[in-house]
Amino acid sequence: MCGRFALTSSPKEVDEAFSLPELEAFPPRYNIAPTQPILMVMAGEPRQPGSNLPDRTSLLVRWGLIPTWVKDTRNFPLLFNARSESASEKASFRTAMRHRRALIPASGFYEWRQDGKKKGQPFWVRPRNGGLIAFAGLMETYAEPGGSEMDTGAILTTHANSDIAHIHERMPIVIHAQDFSRWLDCRFQEPRDVADLLRPAEQGFFEAIPVSDLVNKVANTGPEIQDRIDPALIQETPKPEPKKKPPSDDQMSLF
């Protein structure tokens, strides 16, 4: 799965990688969590023959897809990931898979290895050669009962490759630049036509860096959460000593 990721590249770098017109400025984001806004890239309106203008558009969506048929969002699960193996058949994702495929710019993602600790050991997983990547995403516009609309989205996942399997069994799908247009083309490319893109990243593409548990808290948003640590040097937080009982003569104490 993918429950946290980061986008630390500049707007200029994102523009150059995804050919996005009029991309608004945004700060580096080191700890993006579900329900927060995320940047998505989608196919734009077809251009006139001979036009040099980009045919892609960007938008901010809520990370957590809500299908159009949901009546009460309070009782609906948070769909921030979609299993690629079944997305074309699942009622929650099949319409978006056919009509609203997207790219999600990212610098990497976080994953937790369960090793007996309560919260597990977090890892910062990034491209071994650095740079921007694009997760495969799905977008759905949800109309609230009051009439307002909200754009929502999810990240498609697949089984993990050997770089990640020792940490977690799932990983987000990466779409490479040469496949951007084909993935985004929902006018002529049906889900079966892009099924070959729904595969794990090639072996060696990612590196997994152990980091501290600072990333566990959404409030921690600085670059220090990506600093490498040595898990062997981490000690369990000692339990606080029980409070001492007051003196038997009921005298007040300063400590």
Side-chain angles (χ1 to χ4, degrees):
M1 62 179 297
C2 176
R4 299 282 180 86
F5 72 99
L7 176 58
T8 60
S9 298
S10 69
K12 181 180 179 181
E13 291 171 322
V14 176
D15 179 12
E16 292 175 349
F18 292 88
S19 301
L20 293 173
E22 301 178 358
L23 183 63
E24 295 185 5
F26 56 83
R29 299 178 66 193
Y30 292 90
N31 196 3
I32 304 173
T35 74
Q36 293 181 351
I38 61 174
L39 180 66
M40 275 194 167
V41 179
M42 302 187 69
E45 294 295 327
R47 302 297 184 183
Q48 295 295 327
S51 173
N52 292 324
L53 295 175
D55 59 353
R56 295 172 190 162
T57 184
S58 62
L59 68 163
L60 288 177
V61 311
R62 171 191 182 266
W63 187 13
L65 188 142
I66 306 176
T68 56
W69 45 262
V70 171
K71 300 298 182 183
D72 186 356
T73 58
R74 294 172 299 180
N75 297 320
F76 192 75
L78 185 61
L79 302 179
F80 54 89
N81 286 166
R83 295 178 71 92
S84 61
E85 298 90 337
S86 57
S88 296
E89 289 78 38
K90 289 287 187 180
S92 297
F93 305 116
R94 63 188 175 203
T95 302
M97 189 69 183
R98 175 63 186 88
H99 298 289
R100 286 174 291 280
R101 296 190 297 270
L103 299 169
I104 302 173
S107 302
F109 66 99
Y110 300 95
E111 195 53 83
W112 282 257
R113 182 180 66 202
Q114 299 303 318
D115 52 6
K117 297 180 181 179
K118 186 176 180 180
K119 295 183 179 179
Q121 170 61 52
F123 287 81
W124 164 235
V125 184
R126 67 183 184 187
R128 192 174 299 275
N129 295 323
L132 268 169
I133 54 176
F135 295 148
L138 301 175
M139 197 282 282
E140 191 69 84
T141 300
Y142 177 71
E144 298 179 312
S148 61
E149 293 185 341
M150 174 173 57
D151 294 330
T152 68
I155 294 174
L156 282 158
T157 67
T158 186
H159 62 274
N161 65 10
S162 57
D163 299 329
I164 312 299
H166 67 289
I167 301 173
H168 196 276
E169 62 181 6
R170 306 288 297 178
M171 68 185 302
I173 289 174
V174 174
I175 304 294
H176 294 300
Q178 65 268 25
D179 298 314
F180 283 0
S181 295
R182 184 157 68 98
W183 173 254
L184 294 176
D185 183 5
C186 296
R187 299 177 64 219
F188 301 107
Q189 302 289 327
E190 296 186 8
R192 65 174 178 268
D193 299 322
V194 293
D196 60 300
L197 302 179
L198 303 179
R199 60 182 184 269
E202 57 271 23
Q203 184 177 354
F205 181 82
F206 282 118
E207 63 175 340
I209 300 170
V211 295
S212 74
D213 60 2
L214 287 173
V215 68
N216 294 353
K217 294 184 179 180
V218 178
N220 294 330
T221 59
E224 67 277 359
I225 69 174
Q226 295 179 354
D227 290 345
R228 183 187 296 269
I229 57 99
D230 183 354
L233 299 179
I234 298 178
Q235 297 180 354
E236 294 290 341
T237 303
K239 296 182 179 179
E241 296 183 3
K243 294 182 179 180
K244 296 181 180 180
K245 294 182 179 180
S248 57
D249 57 2
D250 291 329
Q251 291 183 5
M252 295 294 291
S253 173
L254 294 176
F255 305 100

